[in-house]
């Protein structure tokens, strides 16, 4: 999939805010099926733009959860434990 710089930036910005793949495709004026296929293949510039944006949104969120957990928030501690368990499964 060939994307313009503007489309790449739009994908990153929307992924950072956790919009769905279809919403991103419509807004960036790209074929939703082609976009979904490239993201799911975990290769290509559409995937890189999407995952880059996703991490930009997820990293500060996880830091906030970890900070709240360290400050004694039981819900945040449970969320952090779940994230740890999910990461351990991903290692397999």
């Amino acid at each position: 999939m060939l994307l313009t710089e503007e489309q790449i930036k739009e994908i990153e910005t929307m992924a950072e805010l956790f919009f769905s793949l279809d919403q991103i495709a419509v807004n960036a004026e790209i074929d939703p099926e082609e976009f979904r296929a490239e993201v799911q293949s975990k290769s290509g510039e559409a995937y890189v733009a999407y995952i880059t944006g996703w991490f930009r949104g997820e990293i500060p969120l996880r830091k906030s959860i970890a900070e709240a957990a360290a400050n004694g928030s039981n819900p945040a501690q449970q969320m952090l434990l779940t994230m740890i368990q999910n990461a351990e499964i991903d290692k397999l």
Side-chain angles (χ1 to χ4, degrees):
M1 170 180 290
L2 295 175
L3 299 170
T4 66
E5 274 301 310
E6 184 177 319
Q7 288 171 317
I8 290 170
K9 288 179 184 175
E10 194 64 29
I11 291 168
E12 289 178 4
T13 298
M14 292 186 73
E16 182 177 354
L17 298 170
F18 309 111
F19 281 93
S20 72
L21 293 176
D22 288 339
Q23 291 170 325
I24 294 170
V26 168
N27 195 58
E29 298 180 354
I30 53 181
D31 180 81
E33 290 180 24
E34 189 177 355
F35 178 60
R36 179 176 297 282
E38 189 163 315
V39 170
Q40 289 176 335
S41 76
K42 297 183 179 182
S43 64
E45 64 182 347
Y47 170 73
V48 171
Y50 179 78
I51 202 69
T52 297
W54 182 274
F55 284 142
R56 283 189 192 148
E58 188 173 19
I59 290 169
L61 181 60
R62 285 182 178 234
K63 285 181 178 179
S64 177
I65 292 167
E67 185 175 314
N71 289 328
S73 167
N74 287 332
Q77 290 168 347
Q78 288 300 314
M79 290 176 73
L80 195 56
L81 287 172
T82 300
M83 287 188 292
I84 291 168
Q85 289 169 348
N86 290 340
E88 288 173 356
I89 291 170
D90 289 345
K91 291 180 192 175
L92 301 175

